[in-house]
């Protein structure tokens, strides 16, 4: 998402725009080097919960804002946070993200844009509206921002129940394609015909980080994907596996130990791998979005409303629990046969999304009080 936001910032303000990165999972990075809170960012999020809860209290964070860095920026862009999830009001990390991060920028007079917010609710239990506690939390969080956009329609609908206008724009991460495009161009110049390039599979145990207690059988899912791999290889397709963590690499070896397995460590390595892809079959949403950014279509699976992100881009997006082997194979074959048309469509979508976000960026910066 950060690469996509960078592409939008350059579109909106020019190539020489100065960009600084703050990691949202490290909310205390808004404080100066040497500040005592900085060491908390080095710990796992489940450590020192008593201290995190205390720092998330209103009477504490409001006093601490004066200790932050000056944060003298024309615009602060939060890429998708706080996302809409159940129990946000009671989660210290969410409150720290809102108050010690977004809140700190607003306190320092920097307009905050919350871009590409998504929702994360199990597909069998999508709420009609948020709990009263979470509604209060999100009303406060949106009150901090100058503007907010969402990347799928469940998020838009839920914000609407609390009176917040949040237009749907496909995920800003598709803009990362401008960064990865040079790798795709190199692959095209290499002379390898597109029909000889691999199908990239990103495999997770339950088709997502979790099944949200919806009864996805990990053994059955592995058997299904293993069968899909066999069918694709019988078609004469090359298949390679793309991993985003050590655990995914372990699963990939269990799934198909004889296939090439990629575990990129840098953005450049990631770019070289996806640049050669014909199509994707992925469970990580932003793997599908990154591929879409260079014109590669994917079949996307998942267990929660995040799959609305890729559905908004016109990519086939399915609930893992509702899939069968024949459907997966048929969808991948369809994507292979329409890859050229999809390439043109997705690249046009990328540029359209970048331009729409650039207008939002510019408007928020111009309206700085």
């Amino acid at each position: 998402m950060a690469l996509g936001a960078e592409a939008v910032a350059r579109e909106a303000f020019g190539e020489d725009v100065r960009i600084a990165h703050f990691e949202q999972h490290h909310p205390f990075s808004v404080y100066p080097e040497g500040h005592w809170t900085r060491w908390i960012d080095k710990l796992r999020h489940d450590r020192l919960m008593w201290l995190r809860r205390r720092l998330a209290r209103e009477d504490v964070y409001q006093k601490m804002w004066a200790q932050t860095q000056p944060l003298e920026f024309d615009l602060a862009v939060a890429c998708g946070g706080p996302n809409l999830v159940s129990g946000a009001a009671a989660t210290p990390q969410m409150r720290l993200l809102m108050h010690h991060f977004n809140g700190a920028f607003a306190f320092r007079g920097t307009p905050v844009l919350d871009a590409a917010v998504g929702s994360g609710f199990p597909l069998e239990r999508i709420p009609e509206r948020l709990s009263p506690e979470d509604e209060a939390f999100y009303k406060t969080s949106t009150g901090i921002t100058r503007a907010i956009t969402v990347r799928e329609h469940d998020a838009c609908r839920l914000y609407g129940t609390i009176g917040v206008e949040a237009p749907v724009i496909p995920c800003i991460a598709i803009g990362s394609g401008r960064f990865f495009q040079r790798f795709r161009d190199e692959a095209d110049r290499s002379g390898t015909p597109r029909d000889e390039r691999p199908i990239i599979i990103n495999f997770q145990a339950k088709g997502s980080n979790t099944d949200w207690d919806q009864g996805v059988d990990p053994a059955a899912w592995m058997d299904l994907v293993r069968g899909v791999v066999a069918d694709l290889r019988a078609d004469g397709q090359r298949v390679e596996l793309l991993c985003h963590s050590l655990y995914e690499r372990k699963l990939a070896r269990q799934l198909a130990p004889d296939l090439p397995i990629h575990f990129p460590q840098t953005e450049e390595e990631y770019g070289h791998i996806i640049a050669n892809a014909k199509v994707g079959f992925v469970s990580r949403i932003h793997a599908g979005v990154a591929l879409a950014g260079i014109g590669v279509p994917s079949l996307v699976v998942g267990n929660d409303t995040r799959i609305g992100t890729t559905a908004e881009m016109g990519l086939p997006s399915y609930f893992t629990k509702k899939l069968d082997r024949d459907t997966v194979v048929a969808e991948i074959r369809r994507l292979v046969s329409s890859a050229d048309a999809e390439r043109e469509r997705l690249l046009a979508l990328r540029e359209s999304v970048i331009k729409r976000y650039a207008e939002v960026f510019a408007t928020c910066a111009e309206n700085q009080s």
Side-chain angles (χ1 to χ4, degrees), residues 198-202 277-282 287-288 291 296-300 316 332 335:
I199 293 170
I200 296 291
I201 296 179
N202 161 236
K278 179 186 300 183
V279 302
F281 172 29
V282 303
L291 285 163
V296 177
S298 295
L299 167 62
V300 184
I332 293 175
L335 291 176

Side-chain angles (χ1 to χ4, degrees), residues 219-272:
W221 177 243
M222 180 172 280
D223 286 344
L224 186 154
V225 177
R226 191 175 283 137
V228 168
V229 170
D231 290 343
L232 294 175
R233 297 177 81 177
D235 286 348
Q237 300 287 353
R238 289 174 54 199
V239 180
E240 299 182 1
L241 305 179
L242 173 62
C243 308
H244 295 74
S245 69
L246 288 169
Y247 181 56
E248 285 185 24
R249 186 171 67 177
K250 177 182 177 181
L251 289 173
R253 288 170 175 162
Q254 295 175 20
L255 176 73
D258 60 324
L259 289 181
I261 296 173
H262 303 285
F263 182 32
Q265 301 299 298
T266 67
E267 294 164 345
E268 286 74 16
E269 288 180 12
Y270 195 88
H272 281 295

Side-chain angles (χ1 to χ4, degrees), residues 91-111:
T91 305
Q93 198 61 26
M94 292 289 280
R95 297 180 66 83
L96 293 174
L97 167 61
M98 181 173 73
H99 297 302
H100 282 274
F101 205 82
N102 295 359
F105 282 97
F107 172 80
R108 290 293 188 179
T110 300

Side-chain angles (χ1 to χ4, degrees), residues 14 36 89 117 120 138 174 187 191 212 258 268-269 284 291 345:
W36 66 272
V117 177
Y138 287 110
I174 197 172
W212 305 78
D258 60 324
E268 286 74 16
E269 288 180 12
R284 285 194 177 270
L291 285 163
R345 183 186 72 82

Side-chain angles (χ1 to χ4, degrees), residues 146-163:
R146 186 64 53 83
I148 183 169
T149 71
V150 295
R151 65 194 188 203
E152 38 84 6
H153 283 274
D154 281 303
C156 179
R157 176 182 59 80
L158 287 166
Y159 269 131
T161 65
I162 58 173

Side-chain angles (χ1 to χ4, degrees), residues 28-252:
F28 302 109
S29 59
V30 295
Y31 294 92
E33 287 288 349
H35 192 276
W36 66 272
T37 57
R38 293 292 289 260
W39 66 272
I40 303 176
D41 279 337
K42 300 176 183 179
L43 303 175
R44 284 184 355 199
H45 292 165
D46 60 348
R47 304 296 299 273
L48 292 179
M49 292 303 294
W50 65 270
L51 180 56
R52 296 177 190 273
R53 290 190 181 94
R54 178 172 177 78
L55 290 170
R57 284 169 38 182
E58 183 175 3
D59 61 327
V60 174
Y61 63 71
Q62 287 190 349
K63 292 179 181 177
M64 293 185 63
W65 280 336
Q67 301 175 34
T68 63
Q69 301 178 46
L71 303 175
E72 296 174 343
F73 298 96
D74 295 316
L75 179 66
V77 180
C79 293
N83 281 332
L84 287 159
V85 294
S86 294
T91 305
Q93 198 61 26
M94 292 289 280
R95 297 180 66 83
L96 293 174
L97 167 61
M98 181 173 73
H99 297 302
H100 282 274
F101 205 82
N102 295 359
F105 282 97
F107 172 80
R108 290 293 188 179
T110 300
V112 178
L113 165 64
D114 205 355
V117 177
S119 62
F121 297 96
L123 291 170
E124 293 181 338
R125 300 189 302 277
I126 304 174
E128 290 298 317
R129 63 184 305 141
L130 303 167
S131 70
E133 296 79 12
D134 286 344
E135 285 190 354
F137 172 84
Y138 287 110
K139 284 180 180 178
T140 302
S141 71
T142 55
I144 291 171
T145 63
R146 186 64 53 83
I148 183 169
T149 71
V150 295
R151 65 194 188 203
E152 38 84 6
H153 283 274
D154 281 303
C156 179
R157 176 182 59 80
L158 287 166
Y159 269 131
T161 65
I162 58 173
V164 174
E165 182 179 352
V168 179
I169 305 176
C171 186
I172 198 170
I174 197 172
S176 66
R178 283 195 179 175
F179 174 84
F180 291 125
Q181 189 64 51
R182 70 181 188 272
F183 302 110
R184 184 66 167 179
D185 293 341
E186 288 173 9
D188 288 343
R189 289 192 296 268
S190 71
T192 302
R194 290 181 188 169
D195 61 358
E196 295 180 11
R197 295 178 184 178
I199 293 170
I200 296 291
I201 296 179
N202 161 236
F203 177 77
Q204 291 176 284
K206 297 183 178 182
S208 184
N209 288 325
T210 176
D211 69 345
W212 305 78
D213 297 320
Q214 294 175 108
V216 176
D217 183 341
W221 177 243
M222 180 172 280
D223 286 344
L224 186 154
V225 177
R226 191 175 283 137
V228 168
V229 170
D231 290 343
L232 294 175
R233 297 177 81 177
D235 286 348
Q237 300 287 353
R238 289 174 54 199
V239 180
E240 299 182 1
L241 305 179
L242 173 62
C243 308
H244 295 74
S245 69
L246 288 169
Y247 181 56
E248 285 185 24
R249 186 171 67 177
K250 177 182 177 181
L251 289 173

